[in-house]
Amino acid sequence: MKKAYRVKSDKDFQGVFQKGKSFANRQFVVYVLAKPDQDHFRLGVSVGKKIGNAVIRNRIKRKMRQAVFELDQAGLIKDSVDFVVIARPPAKDMSVDQCIKSLKHVFKLAHLLQDSPT
């Protein structure tokens, strides 16, 4: 994922948490903040220490980023938003395909998906 597509700074994360809206399912929580002046979406990823050690947390983050990348390649994700995805403990045992399905579900709840996919 390119740097321009990432929420990196603590200030940006806090802005999404404080001003954005949250949506959740069993595996993920998504905070969404509309940014009308932005040309593309930006993604932030968070996995807490309760889920596992660094190896497990990094593996989950890679799966989450890959799932978002595949949804973006399919043209499904809306532009002009910042969103932060937080993993919950059930995400530890998921494959990339299951991750895509679960993220698609929570993105639909958050109205992050395009109306007409290309």
Side-chain angles (χ1 to χ4, degrees), residues 5 9 12-13 24 29 32 39 53-54 61 67-68 79 87 90 95 97 101 104-105:
Y5 286 80
S9 72
D12 290 341
F13 268 94
V29 179
V32 181
D39 294 342
N53 64 21
K61 286 189 253 185
V68 170
D79 294 334
S95 69
D97 290 334
K101 186 177 177 186
K104 210 173 191 181
H105 173 256

Side-chain angles (χ1 to χ4, degrees), residues 18-38:
Q18 291 170 0
K19 297 174 188 166
K21 294 187 178 184
S22 67
F23 304 88
N25 62 11
R26 289 189 184 278
Q27 296 84 15
F28 300 105
V29 179
V30 176
Y31 285 84
V32 181
L33 179 64
K35 294 276 197 131
D37 56 334
Q38 215 167 253

Side-chain angles (χ1 to χ4, degrees), residues 85-98:
V85 181
I86 302 171
R88 288 181 163 175
K92 181 169 34 174
D93 304 319
M94 296 174 73
S95 69
V96 175
D97 290 334
Q98 292 169 324

Side-chain angles (χ1 to χ4, degrees), residues 50-84:
K50 286 183 180 180
I51 293 180
N53 64 21
V55 173
I56 292 170
R57 293 194 312 266
N58 287 328
R59 185 177 299 137
I60 294 168
K61 286 189 253 185
R62 282 195 305 271
K63 288 178 185 177
M64 290 164 57
R65 284 191 200 103
Q66 181 63 32
V68 170
F69 176 77
E70 290 186 22
L71 289 172
D72 181 40
Q73 290 299 310
L76 296 176
I77 300 176
K78 285 185 179 178
D79 294 334
S80 304
V81 293
D82 282 358
F83 59 97
V84 176

Side-chain angles (χ1 to χ4, degrees), residues 6-21:
R6 289 187 250 166
V7 175
K8 291 291 281 182
S9 72
D10 185 53
K11 179 184 166 197
D12 290 341
F13 268 94
Q14 292 306 319
V16 174
F17 289 139
Q18 291 170 0
K19 297 174 188 166
K21 294 187 178 184

